[in-house]
Amino acid sequence: MTTSAVRTPSGRDIRRFTAATARTRGGAGIGELLGDVYYAFITSAIGIGMAVGVVNTMRDALPPSSAAPAAGPDLSLPGLAALTVLAFVGVLLSLAGRLGPVGVGGAEATWWLSLPVDRRGLLRPVAVRLPLVAGAVSAVLLVLIDLGLRAQSGETLDRVLRVGAVGGLGAAALVLLAGVGQSFGAVRRRIATAGNVLLGLVPVLALVGGYSGWRPGDLPTPAPVIVVVLAVVVVAAGLLLDRRLARIPARDLRDSGSVASQAVGAMVSLDSRELGRALTDGAAPTRRRRVARFSWVSSAATALVAADLAVLRRSPRHLVQVVAAACVPAVVVGVRQIAVPGVLAAAFVVSGYVAMVATAEGARRAEMSPVLDRLLPLAAARVRTLRMVVPGVVMLLWSIAAFAAVARLEGDLSSWLALAVLSTPVWAGAAVRSAYRPSPDWSGPLVSTAAGALPVGVGGVLARGPDTVVLGLVPTGIAIVLGFVTPHLLIAQVVTSAIALAVGAHITTPKSVHA
Amino acid sequence: MSATPVVRVDDLVLSYGGEPVCAPVSFTIAAGRALALVGANGSGKSTVLRAVLGLLEPVSGSLQVLGRDVDEREELFRAQVSSVLDDDAYFPALTVAEHLLLTARGHGVRDPDDLTDELLEDFGLSDHADVLPVALSSGQRRRLLLAAGFARPRQLLVLDEPEQRLDQRMRAALAERLRAETDRGGAVLLATHDPELLESVAHRAVLVADDVSRRLSVADAARAIRAEPPR
């Protein structure tokens, strides 16, 4: 023992000391603070205003529920709303497990966790941050879903408030309970897996409900007792978590904090690939029970494809993502009020993009760390081409499921399946193009958007991938809107698919510099 | 000197994902003594240190620090055990001196300002006291971390390759400081690849390896390090 000690400060003191010292150097006065608050308020108001506009449009556009029933599974809008909420719960649980929910990363982990101060005082703000955010987002989201999808006129303020309260309190309770589980040593990966399973169940429930005739006419207004019960759960879980904060080991706090820091950094820099890596790696097992033998690998090309396939196969989150996305067109077709060409085309593109992103995991990882690419004797363009194989095969399966749903609505199954096959290369090309996009260029001129000022270069980079999907699927989109497939559209799709493949395989060669 | 060793490790087995990291490890460290862990890269030295600090749950074996099972969640444990691992994270808005002050105040040091000034001087950071971490070189950031390890009361000091990123003069100064640490009755556990640091600081050594972990004399451990292939 080499230095004399007096009473140690509290965790709260340490937080305040750190914050106060940083504030003296931050250079931000009350004016800047008010400016930030104003900016956040305006941005939130614009976002909510846009969402309310979409909701009102949906309410006006949705036809009455007396429309002719669809063939096959048949869902009602309230049923779809209930399933959407269930899917949201799955996403929330999965995120809570991946992010901790209680964690300390970076400098706080290094400089705070080793101090002999009460950790409750240190961790309290961290412990309430995620439940608060989840509660606020869920409250708004549930109200929007309720208003938009129920298509019932005459919503009362009382119902809106109760739905919002149930959404907010329910989400907060869920995250707080995940935190309690963390304090009792629950493995974060299992919490995340529970969320994935729930998410994966949603399309299954949709199909089961559709075939079994589950068609709720309306969702009941939440009874006050439910709001009270949820409030009690939130308070109880919050108190229990607060009492057990000091029981969470530093290693768990560091792991969770590391994932959260990486995820926040990715969001701030608008890097969706990094965000995906943060959320996937944090909950991934560090060891496999079985070692893949790759007995079918006989060349450098098959080695590359095998590696991509292994990455996808070992990521349950991405597999669930593909399966769930494959069910979306079928669900849309099953709900009479929204089974219209415009909604179907939008659902087709969005769900297809979600599935496509999942299939490109191998390519994204290779772009970040091209270890295998460097080991194999393959030209860069050929590597890009081979990286389209796994997305192509998986998206072919997705396309068959999606277009079969369209055919259920429009008839002429063979033509739609032909379009499914011919449009698949667009997804494969877009998958590789988005995976190999460069880092955003933050140095360009600024453009004002609802989400704040953004450099032009950022938008250009983020559009790589979606641009291929939108342009490459123009013939398919026209077919969906028209409700039938023509030979001309098939030919046009062949042409755009070929272009998408070429774009996906394209390598930008740096220009040589002559002194 | 107390009869209870500061650190007692018996047949400690550690794993990542169910696979043992190294052969079972056993050693004790008494007050006023320094023990060095040596071994090749990836042999498990840092993993053993993390277990001693409570940052990794042992699979089997026993591990006690100051006569108690390791539980870093206890404030008493954190008050008695100081560590410098390979972390490289700093508060972006806090200066070098403020990082040390935060540590000293957090541990209730009686004269944090005086101690901070002394450590800044000893670790060659006086000219950078008011500098933010972003402006430090890699070696200076390493010195800041090491200084923080001394900016607080302790009975055990755990260091993971403290020689990393230090020049020869600073390595010699560190060795002198660690000798003073044991002379004053503190215990030191370090992992190192530096034979000079090992010879000037450690009283005993343990070779950590996949097949068998065994105790070595300091001279044998230094020879083992010198025989390692260049990193």
Side-chain angles (χ1 to χ4, degrees):
Chain A
M1 198 166 335
T2 53
T3 51
S4 57
V6 292
R7 187 188 70 82
T8 54
S10 67
R12 191 179 179 209
D13 293 337
I14 292 296
R15 267 196 292 112
R16 291 189 163 188
F17 173 81
T18 311
T21 311
R23 254 199 312 276
T24 59
R25 197 155 295 106
I30 187 73
E32 284 81 359
L33 179 66
L34 288 175
D36 285 350
V37 170
Y38 170 79
Y39 199 71
F41 176 77
I42 292 295
T43 304
S44 303
I46 290 173
I48 291 175
M50 289 169 68
V52 169
V54 170
V55 164
N56 282 333
T57 306
M58 281 175 68
R59 287 164 69 88
D60 293 340
L62 291 176
S65 60
S66 58
D74 185 17
L75 282 171
S76 64
L77 267 183
L80 180 63
L83 289 169
T84 306
V85 171
L86 195 61
F88 180 68
V89 170
V91 170
L92 196 63
L93 198 57
S94 182
L95 278 178
R98 289 168 202 283
L99 296 175
V102 184
V104 180
E108 284 87 354
T110 302
W111 296 89
W112 282 0
L113 293 183
S114 60
L115 299 177
V117 299
D118 64 306
R119 281 200 181 152
R120 278 171 73 185
L122 278 178
L123 299 176
R124 256 186 201 131
V126 174
V128 299
R129 197 175 299 154
L130 207 52
L132 277 179
V133 171
V137 171
S138 301
V140 173
L141 206 65
L142 248 67
V143 167
L144 292 177
I145 290 173
D146 189 57
L147 289 176
L149 284 186
R150 280 180 63 249
Q152 304 287 323
S153 57
E155 296 285 359
T156 62
L157 180 63
D158 179 51
R159 176 175 171 103
V160 168
L161 290 177
R162 285 195 212 175
V163 168
V166 166
L169 291 171
L174 203 64
V175 178
L176 285 169
L177 287 172
V180 171
Q182 184 188 9
S183 76
F184 277 100
V187 180
R188 293 189 300 125
R189 193 171 69 244
R190 291 197 181 139
I191 297 174
T193 303
N196 287 346
V197 169
L198 197 58
L199 192 58
L201 275 177
V202 169
V204 176
L205 289 175
L207 293 177
V208 170
Y211 277 112
S212 65
W214 177 69
R215 297 192 80 256
D218 193 12
L219 293 177
T221 302
V225 67
I226 294 177
V227 178
V228 172
V229 167
L230 283 175
V232 169
V233 172
V234 166
V235 171
L239 288 175
L240 184 58
L241 177 59
D242 185 67
R243 288 174 66 89
R244 294 192 55 82
L245 276 178
R247 302 308 303 161
I248 303 177
R251 57 177 178 276
D252 276 3
L253 294 170
R254 281 169 171 262
D255 287 350
S256 304
S258 165
V259 174
S261 301
Q262 192 182 353
V264 169
M267 286 182 71
V268 169
S269 59
L270 299 176
D271 190 343
S272 58
R273 291 174 302 181
E274 183 66 10
L275 180 63
R277 280 193 287 268
L279 296 178
T280 303
D281 293 350
T286 55
R287 192 168 286 272
R288 295 278 159 192
R289 283 186 199 147
R290 289 191 307 153
V291 176
R293 299 292 169 199
F294 296 117
S295 53
W296 57 277
V297 172
S298 57
S299 64
T302 49
L304 200 75
V305 174
D308 284 358
L309 192 59
V311 170
L312 178 62
R313 206 160 40 84
R314 291 177 174 183
S315 177
R317 179 172 78 88
H318 289 112
L319 292 174
V320 168
Q321 200 169 315
V322 172
V323 173
C327 294
V328 169
V331 170
V332 170
V333 168
V335 181
R336 311 168 192 183
Q337 292 97 325
I338 59 173
V340 292
V343 176
L344 190 57
F348 181 88
V349 170
V350 172
S351 63
Y353 194 79
V354 167
M356 182 211 80
V357 166
T359 65
E361 180 68 1
R364 277 195 300 275
R365 289 189 177 276
E367 189 276 335
M368 179 187 68
S369 176
V371 179
L372 190 62
D373 305 31
R374 285 179 183 148
L375 288 174
L376 297 173
L378 293 167
R382 184 150 159 72
V383 166
R384 296 275 177 103
T385 306
L386 288 167
R387 287 244 133 82
M388 292 185 213
V389 172
V390 170
V393 170
V394 178
M395 289 310 293
L396 176 63
L397 299 175
W398 177 89
S399 297
I400 289 172
F403 280 97
V406 179
R408 194 159 58 79
L409 188 71
E410 310 288 3
D412 193 10
L413 179 64
S414 57
S415 295
W416 287 107
L417 288 184
L419 193 58
V421 173
L422 296 177
S423 63
T424 296
V426 173
W427 296 113
V432 172
R433 179 168 161 80
S434 67
Y436 280 91
R437 68 179 180 230
S439 298
D441 176 12
W442 294 92
S443 61
L446 296 177
V447 175
S448 184
T449 73
L454 281 178
V456 177
V458 174
V461 169
L462 293 178
R464 289 171 73 106
D467 55 359
T468 311
V469 170
V470 171
L471 296 175
L473 291 179
V474 165
T476 296
I478 292 172
I480 292 175
V481 170
L482 291 177
F484 56 84
V485 182
T486 66
H488 292 98
L489 287 173
L490 289 176
I491 293 168
Q493 187 57 64
V494 169
V495 172
T496 57
S497 291
I499 294 171
L501 283 178
V503 166
H506 177 68
I507 305 286
T508 307
T509 309
K511 291 173 185 167
S512 57
V513 178
H514 300 285
Chain B
M1 193 180 297
S2 165
T4 306
V6 177
V7 181
R8 173 183 287 282
V9 174
D10 287 315
D11 290 328
L12 185 70
V13 176
L14 302 164
S15 83
Y16 283 120
E19 193 70 17
V21 172
C22 56
V25 179
S26 299
F27 60 81
T28 59
I29 309 174
R33 309 290 283 179
L35 182 136
L37 301 179
V38 299
N41 281 337
S43 60
K45 302 184 298 297
S46 300
T47 306
V48 173
L49 296 186
R50 294 179 73 79
V52 170
L53 294 170
L55 298 176
L56 186 68
E57 193 81 24
V59 175
S60 65
S62 71
L63 172 55
Q64 289 199 322
V65 170
L66 295 160
R68 296 159 63 96
D69 289 342
V70 170
D71 187 350
E72 58 80 30
R73 293 173 297 185
E74 292 179 1
E75 291 169 22
L76 180 63
F77 179 88
R78 301 200 296 273
Q80 293 172 325
V81 180
S82 176
S83 65
V84 180
L85 302 181
D86 57 354
D87 294 316
D88 197 19
Y90 307 86
F91 290 105
L94 264 58
T95 64
V96 167
E98 285 162 353
H99 276 85
L100 296 180
L101 276 171
L102 173 72
T103 306
R105 288 187 198 281
H107 282 271
V109 170
R110 194 178 301 276
D111 299 309
D113 294 304
D114 292 348
L115 179 62
T116 297
D117 289 343
E118 178 194 323
L119 288 168
L120 288 171
E121 181 69 32
D122 287 0
F123 283 89
L125 293 167
S126 293
D127 292 342
H128 300 84
D130 297 332
V131 169
L132 296 176
V134 70
L136 295 178
S137 71
S138 153
Q140 287 163 340
R141 289 201 305 274
R142 182 65 176 167
R143 278 185 264 156
L144 171 56
L145 268 186
L146 285 166
F150 292 93
R152 40 159 299 175
R154 60 202 170 268
Q155 294 189 37
L156 171 64
L157 179 57
V158 178
L159 305 161
D160 191 4
E161 300 186 21
E163 72 274 10
Q164 290 285 327
R165 294 182 269 153
L166 298 185
D167 56 30
Q168 283 302 328
R169 192 180 66 81
M170 192 49 66
R171 286 188 188 200
L174 175 68
E176 190 178 330
R177 188 168 259 280
L178 292 176
R179 281 197 301 274
E181 181 83 6
T182 52
D183 289 346
R184 280 197 290 260
V188 175
L189 171 62
L190 75 159
T192 183
H193 287 285
D194 183 346
E196 282 81 28
L197 184 68
L198 173 83
E199 287 171 327
S200 62
V201 172
H203 298 94
R204 279 191 306 152
V206 168
L207 175 70
V208 181
D210 288 344
D211 48 359
V212 60
S213 298
R214 62 180 192 276
R215 293 170 199 176
L216 295 177
S217 68
V218 169
D220 286 344
R223 264 194 294 277
I225 292 176
R226 290 190 173 103
E228 284 174 5
R231 286 185 290 159

Short mmCIF file of all heavy atoms in Angstrom, two decimals, chain A residues 448-481:
data_model
loop_
_atom_site.label_atom_id
_atom_site.label_comp_id
_atom_site.label_asym_id
_atom_site.label_seq_id
_atom_site.Cartn_x
_atom_site.Cartn_y
_atom_site.Cartn_z
N SER A 448 -29.83 20.35 -46.74
CA SER A 448 -30.73 20.35 -45.60
C SER A 448 -31.79 19.27 -45.78
O SER A 448 -32.43 19.18 -46.82
CB SER A 448 -31.39 21.72 -45.47
OG SER A 448 -32.19 21.74 -44.31
N THR A 449 -31.94 18.42 -44.75
CA THR A 449 -32.99 17.39 -44.78
C THR A 449 -33.78 17.46 -43.49
O THR A 449 -33.40 18.17 -42.55
CB THR A 449 -32.37 15.97 -44.90
OG1 THR A 449 -31.78 15.63 -43.64
CG2 THR A 449 -31.32 15.91 -45.98
N ALA A 450 -34.88 16.68 -43.45
CA ALA A 450 -35.69 16.66 -42.22
C ALA A 450 -34.89 16.13 -41.05
O ALA A 450 -35.16 16.45 -39.88
CB ALA A 450 -36.92 15.80 -42.46
N ALA A 451 -33.90 15.32 -41.33
CA ALA A 451 -33.09 14.73 -40.26
C ALA A 451 -31.85 15.57 -39.98
O ALA A 451 -30.96 15.14 -39.26
CB ALA A 451 -32.67 13.32 -40.64
N GLY A 452 -31.76 16.75 -40.56
CA GLY A 452 -30.60 17.60 -40.34
C GLY A 452 -29.80 17.75 -41.61
O GLY A 452 -30.17 17.22 -42.67
N ALA A 453 -28.68 18.49 -41.51
CA ALA A 453 -27.85 18.73 -42.68
C ALA A 453 -26.99 17.51 -42.97
O ALA A 453 -26.38 16.94 -42.07
CB ALA A 453 -26.98 19.94 -42.44
N LEU A 454 -26.94 17.10 -44.24
CA LEU A 454 -26.13 15.95 -44.62
C LEU A 454 -25.28 16.31 -45.84
O LEU A 454 -25.75 17.00 -46.74
CB LEU A 454 -27.02 14.77 -45.00
CG LEU A 454 -27.64 13.95 -43.88
CD1 LEU A 454 -28.51 12.86 -44.48
CD2 LEU A 454 -26.57 13.32 -43.01
N PRO A 455 -24.02 15.86 -45.87
CA PRO A 455 -23.20 16.08 -47.07
C PRO A 455 -23.76 15.29 -48.24
O PRO A 455 -24.26 14.18 -48.05
CB PRO A 455 -21.82 15.56 -46.66
CG PRO A 455 -21.86 15.43 -45.19
CD PRO A 455 -23.27 15.19 -44.80
N VAL A 456 -23.64 15.85 -49.43
CA VAL A 456 -24.17 15.19 -50.63
C VAL A 456 -23.53 13.81 -50.81
O VAL A 456 -24.20 12.84 -51.17
CB VAL A 456 -23.88 16.06 -51.87
CG1 VAL A 456 -24.35 15.34 -53.13
CG2 VAL A 456 -24.57 17.40 -51.74
N GLY A 457 -22.23 13.71 -50.54
CA GLY A 457 -21.52 12.46 -50.75
C GLY A 457 -22.07 11.31 -49.93
O GLY A 457 -22.02 10.16 -50.35
N VAL A 458 -22.61 11.63 -48.76
CA VAL A 458 -23.14 10.57 -47.90
C VAL A 458 -24.35 9.92 -48.56
O VAL A 458 -24.48 8.69 -48.61
CB VAL A 458 -23.52 11.15 -46.52
CG1 VAL A 458 -24.22 10.08 -45.67
CG2 VAL A 458 -22.29 11.66 -45.81
N GLY A 459 -25.24 10.76 -49.09
CA GLY A 459 -26.43 10.23 -49.74
C GLY A 459 -26.06 9.35 -50.93
O GLY A 459 -26.66 8.29 -51.13
N GLY A 460 -25.05 9.80 -51.69
CA GLY A 460 -24.63 9.04 -52.85
C GLY A 460 -24.13 7.66 -52.47
O GLY A 460 -24.42 6.67 -53.16
N VAL A 461 -23.39 7.59 -51.38
CA VAL A 461 -22.85 6.30 -50.94
C VAL A 461 -23.97 5.41 -50.40
O VAL A 461 -24.04 4.21 -50.71
CB VAL A 461 -21.75 6.52 -49.87
CG1 VAL A 461 -21.38 5.20 -49.21
CG2 VAL A 461 -20.54 7.15 -50.50
N LEU A 462 -24.86 6.00 -49.59
CA LEU A 462 -25.93 5.19 -49.00
C LEU A 462 -26.89 4.66 -50.06
O LEU A 462 -27.56 3.65 -49.84
CB LEU A 462 -26.70 6.03 -47.98
CG LEU A 462 -25.91 6.44 -46.73
CD1 LEU A 462 -26.77 7.30 -45.82
CD2 LEU A 462 -25.42 5.21 -45.98
N ALA A 463 -26.94 5.34 -51.21
CA ALA A 463 -27.87 4.91 -52.27
C ALA A 463 -27.33 3.73 -53.06
O ALA A 463 -28.06 3.13 -53.85
CB ALA A 463 -28.14 6.08 -53.21
N ARG A 464 -26.05 3.38 -52.86
CA ARG A 464 -25.47 2.26 -53.61
C ARG A 464 -26.11 0.96 -53.13
O ARG A 464 -25.96 0.60 -51.98
CB ARG A 464 -23.96 2.20 -53.44
CG ARG A 464 -23.23 3.33 -54.16
CD ARG A 464 -21.78 3.32 -53.77
NE ARG A 464 -21.06 2.22 -54.38
CZ ARG A 464 -20.22 2.36 -55.40
NH1 ARG A 464 -20.00 3.55 -55.92
NH2 ARG A 464 -19.59 1.33 -55.90
N GLY A 465 -26.79 0.29 -53.97
CA GLY A 465 -27.54 -0.91 -53.59
C GLY A 465 -29.02 -0.66 -53.80
O GLY A 465 -29.61 -1.24 -54.73
N PRO A 466 -29.61 0.25 -53.00
CA PRO A 466 -31.02 0.59 -53.26
C PRO A 466 -31.24 1.10 -54.68
O PRO A 466 -32.26 0.79 -55.30
CB PRO A 466 -31.30 1.68 -52.22
CG PRO A 466 -30.35 1.40 -51.10
CD PRO A 466 -29.12 0.84 -51.75
N ASP A 467 -30.27 1.85 -55.20
CA ASP A 467 -30.44 2.37 -56.57
C ASP A 467 -30.56 1.24 -57.58
O ASP A 467 -31.39 1.26 -58.50
CB ASP A 467 -29.29 3.32 -56.93
CG ASP A 467 -27.90 2.69 -56.76
OD1 ASP A 467 -27.84 1.51 -56.35
OD2 ASP A 467 -26.89 3.37 -57.04
N THR A 468 -29.75 0.20 -57.41
CA THR A 468 -29.80 -0.94 -58.33
C THR A 468 -31.15 -1.65 -58.22
O THR A 468 -31.72 -2.08 -59.24
CB THR A 468 -28.66 -1.93 -58.00
OG1 THR A 468 -27.44 -1.19 -57.89
CG2 THR A 468 -28.52 -2.99 -59.06
N VAL A 469 -31.65 -1.77 -56.98
CA VAL A 469 -32.93 -2.45 -56.78
C VAL A 469 -34.04 -1.67 -57.48
O VAL A 469 -34.84 -2.24 -58.25
CB VAL A 469 -33.24 -2.57 -55.27
CG1 VAL A 469 -34.67 -3.04 -55.05
CG2 VAL A 469 -32.27 -3.54 -54.61
N VAL A 470 -34.09 -0.37 -57.22
CA VAL A 470 -35.18 0.44 -57.76
C VAL A 470 -35.14 0.46 -59.28
O VAL A 470 -36.16 0.23 -59.96
CB VAL A 470 -35.11 1.87 -57.18
CG1 VAL A 470 -36.09 2.78 -57.91
CG2 VAL A 470 -35.41 1.84 -55.69
N LEU A 471 -33.96 0.70 -59.85
CA LEU A 471 -33.88 0.79 -61.32
C LEU A 471 -33.98 -0.59 -61.97
O LEU A 471 -34.62 -0.73 -63.01
CB LEU A 471 -32.56 1.47 -61.72
CG LEU A 471 -32.43 2.93 -61.26
CD1 LEU A 471 -31.06 3.49 -61.60
CD2 LEU A 471 -33.53 3.78 -61.90
N GLY A 472 -33.37 -1.58 -61.34
CA GLY A 472 -33.37 -2.91 -61.94
C GLY A 472 -34.73 -3.58 -61.91
O GLY A 472 -35.00 -4.49 -62.70
N LEU A 473 -35.58 -3.18 -60.99
CA LEU A 473 -36.88 -3.84 -60.87
C LEU A 473 -38.02 -3.01 -61.47
O LEU A 473 -39.19 -3.28 -61.17
CB LEU A 473 -37.17 -4.14 -59.39
CG LEU A 473 -36.28 -5.22 -58.76
CD1 LEU A 473 -36.64 -5.41 -57.30
CD2 LEU A 473 -36.42 -6.55 -59.49
N VAL A 474 -37.70 -2.07 -62.30
CA VAL A 474 -38.76 -1.26 -62.94
C VAL A 474 -39.73 -2.16 -63.72
O VAL A 474 -40.96 -2.04 -63.56
CB VAL A 474 -38.14 -0.17 -63.84
CG1 VAL A 474 -39.19 0.42 -64.77
CG2 VAL A 474 -37.53 0.93 -62.97
N PRO A 475 -39.25 -3.10 -64.56
CA PRO A 475 -40.21 -3.97 -65.27
C PRO A 475 -41.09 -4.77 -64.31
O PRO A 475 -42.29 -4.92 -64.54
CB PRO A 475 -39.29 -4.89 -66.10
CG PRO A 475 -38.01 -4.14 -66.23
CD PRO A 475 -37.85 -3.37 -64.97
N THR A 476 -40.46 -5.27 -63.23
CA THR A 476 -41.24 -6.04 -62.25
C THR A 476 -42.29 -5.16 -61.58
O THR A 476 -43.44 -5.58 -61.38
CB THR A 476 -40.29 -6.65 -61.19
OG1 THR A 476 -39.42 -7.56 -61.85
CG2 THR A 476 -41.07 -7.39 -60.12
N GLY A 477 -41.88 -3.96 -61.24
CA GLY A 477 -42.81 -3.03 -60.59
C GLY A 477 -43.99 -2.73 -61.49
O GLY A 477 -45.15 -2.70 -61.04
N ILE A 478 -43.70 -2.53 -62.78
CA ILE A 478 -44.79 -2.25 -63.74
C ILE A 478 -45.75 -3.45 -63.80
O ILE A 478 -46.98 -3.29 -63.80
CB ILE A 478 -44.20 -1.95 -65.14
CG1 ILE A 478 -43.43 -0.62 -65.10
CG2 ILE A 478 -45.30 -1.91 -66.19
CD1 ILE A 478 -42.66 -0.32 -66.38
N ALA A 479 -45.16 -4.65 -63.80
CA ALA A 479 -46.01 -5.86 -63.86
C ALA A 479 -46.92 -5.95 -62.63
O ALA A 479 -48.11 -6.28 -62.74
CB ALA A 479 -45.12 -7.10 -63.97
N ILE A 480 -46.36 -5.63 -61.47
CA ILE A 480 -47.17 -5.72 -60.24
C ILE A 480 -48.28 -4.68 -60.27
O ILE A 480 -49.44 -4.97 -59.91
CB ILE A 480 -46.27 -5.54 -58.99
CG1 ILE A 480 -45.33 -6.75 -58.85
CG2 ILE A 480 -47.11 -5.38 -57.73
CD1 ILE A 480 -44.32 -6.62 -57.74
N VAL A 481 -47.95 -3.47 -60.71
CA VAL A 481 -48.96 -2.41 -60.75
C VAL A 481 -50.04 -2.75 -61.78
O VAL A 481 -51.24 -2.56 -61.54
CB VAL A 481 -48.30 -1.05 -61.06
CG1 VAL A 481 -49.36 0.01 -61.34
CG2 VAL A 481 -47.43 -0.62 -59.89
#
